[in-house]
Amino acid sequence: MTAIRSVGVVGCGLMGAGIAEVCARAGKDVVVVESSPAAADAGRQRLEASLKRAESRGKIEAAAPVLARIQVVEQLETLADRELVIEAIVEDEVAKTELFRRLDGILTDPEAILASNTSSIPIMKLGVVTSRPEHVLGIHFFNPVPVLALVELVPSLLTSPAVTERARAFVQDDLGKQAIDCQDRAGFVVNALLIPFILSAIRMLESGFATAEDIDRGLVLGAAHPQGPLALADLIGLDTTKAVAESLYEEFKEPLYAAPPLLARMVDAGLLGRKSGRGFYTYS
């Protein structure tokens, strides 16, 4: 099994930057693609700030050598020579399928793996728009990527078992993460369990049953959760939470997956959680 040396990441938001960072920290040559000069600059600053924090806390010896292994560019064609490309763009099926079509025509290595960091969209829908569905799978990291150890591996019905095992070796042996295997169903393992829990907390708040603070305090102090479900939704992003809920509802048609009206209105208002400065809580 050939080790993966070169990695491409599409998107340098919270998830894309985290994926790029852990790959570079593992010694990989990383190219990150963003959609505009402003987004690329923001991505570089996000990477630099995160690696400097890691250096100051003794997590890495020095930030500079890791940063030197990462290029942030704006041209998707720069990924042509990559052995693995991980998509980490907005959680939107139309945008992701169009990106996979483009990447399929750009990658020159017939053995290159095309992976998605989607948290909810079935991998089959992404694989079938390419000419290499056997080389397409989900590699789903969790936020914050440098901290959380879990990765969900999600092959579709058409993914080659050899490709899945190559991805597993990359995730576990190279990145030092722990992989779990998931069926290609919306939400995979973690979000299929987590999102209904968060939606239930939002409905409880919406109904006036309890305050946000008391709901979260109850789960932290009464169930030993590290943070409450509403604070967690703010961390995930309310837009992402809503998008995952919609994917789950589309797949299973179960009422527990339907986004509550309060969540929809908050997303419409741009109250997205930590990334916008306000969600169920206000952040400075």
Side-chain angles (χ1 to χ4, degrees), residues 145-213:
V145 180
V147 176
L148 295 187
L150 183 66
V151 174
E152 291 179 320
L153 289 181
V154 193
S156 80
L157 292 172
L158 299 178
T159 306
S160 162
V163 168
T164 303
E165 290 313 306
R166 193 178 181 205
R168 188 190 313 281
F170 174 75
V171 165
Q172 297 195 155
D173 300 341
D174 294 353
L175 303 188
K177 301 287 189 184
Q178 293 295 315
I180 61 172
D181 296 319
C182 306
Q183 295 292 317
D184 187 18
R185 304 289 186 271
F188 315 136
V189 170
V190 172
N191 279 312
L193 294 169
L194 178 63
I195 293 300
F197 168 61
I198 291 175
L199 299 182
S200 179
I202 296 171
R203 291 189 189 100
M204 181 175 280
L205 174 67
E206 186 175 48
S207 71
F209 192 91
T211 65
E213 292 79 4

Side-chain angles (χ1 to χ4, degrees), residues 11-273:
C12 202
L14 284 175
M15 293 303 296
I19 294 166
E21 178 179 330
V22 297
C23 291
R25 284 167 66 165
K28 307 303 178 183
D29 171 31
V30 182
V31 174
V32 188
V33 178
E34 256 298 358
S35 57
S36 68
D41 286 343
R44 289 187 195 96
Q45 291 172 24
R46 184 175 287 113
L47 283 161
E48 184 173 347
S50 178
L51 285 164
K52 285 184 175 177
R53 279 197 305 273
E55 179 184 321
S56 70
R57 294 170 181 171
K59 303 295 184 184
I60 57 174
E61 189 173 327
V66 181
L67 281 167
R69 289 192 284 271
I70 305 172
Q71 298 179 64
V72 183
V73 300
E74 298 152 47
Q75 297 77 31
L76 204 62
E77 292 73 19
T78 312
L79 302 177
D81 66 344
R82 302 289 96 180
E83 297 168 293
L84 166 65
V85 175
I86 304 171
E87 166 273 312
I89 65 170
V90 63
E91 193 71 357
D92 178 84
E93 185 179 322
V94 173
K96 288 182 189 291
T97 51
E98 177 55 30
L99 175 61
F100 270 68
R101 282 193 190 95
R102 291 184 63 193
L103 289 170
D104 183 45
I106 288 170
L107 296 179
T108 57
D109 181 356
E111 298 302 313
I113 297 173
L114 261 172
S116 177
N117 185 58
T118 180
S119 54
S120 62
I121 295 169
I123 301 303
M124 182 66 78
K125 292 186 176 183
L126 304 177
V128 295
V129 303
T130 75
S131 63
R132 58 177 93 199
E134 69 279 3
H135 285 84
V136 176
L137 83 164
I139 302 180
H140 179 221
F141 295 81
F142 289 81
N143 183 39
V145 180
V147 176
L148 295 187
L150 183 66
V151 174
E152 291 179 320
L153 289 181
V154 193
S156 80
L157 292 172
L158 299 178
T159 306
S160 162
V163 168
T164 303
E165 290 313 306
R166 193 178 181 205
R168 188 190 313 281
F170 174 75
V171 165
Q172 297 195 155
D173 300 341
D174 294 353
L175 303 188
K177 301 287 189 184
Q178 293 295 315
I180 61 172
D181 296 319
C182 306
Q183 295 292 317
D184 187 18
R185 304 289 186 271
F188 315 136
V189 170
V190 172
N191 279 312
L193 294 169
L194 178 63
I195 293 300
F197 168 61
I198 291 175
L199 299 182
S200 179
I202 296 171
R203 291 189 189 100
M204 181 175 280
L205 174 67
E206 186 175 48
S207 71
F209 192 91
T211 65
E213 292 79 4
D214 282 348
I215 291 167
D216 281 355
R217 191 178 298 119
L219 270 296
V220 170
L221 300 180
H225 288 210
Q227 64 184 144
L230 299 174
L232 179 56
D234 277 354
L235 177 62
I236 294 168
L238 301 194
D239 52 342
T240 302
T241 301
K242 178 174 176 284
V244 177
E246 288 171 344
S247 292
L248 286 163
Y249 186 75
E250 176 65 25
E251 178 102 323
F252 299 108
K253 301 298 190 292
E254 293 280 357
L256 77 164
Y257 294 129
L262 175 61
L263 176 61
R265 298 301 177 272
M266 292 179 73
V267 172
D268 290 343
L271 306 178
L272 307 181

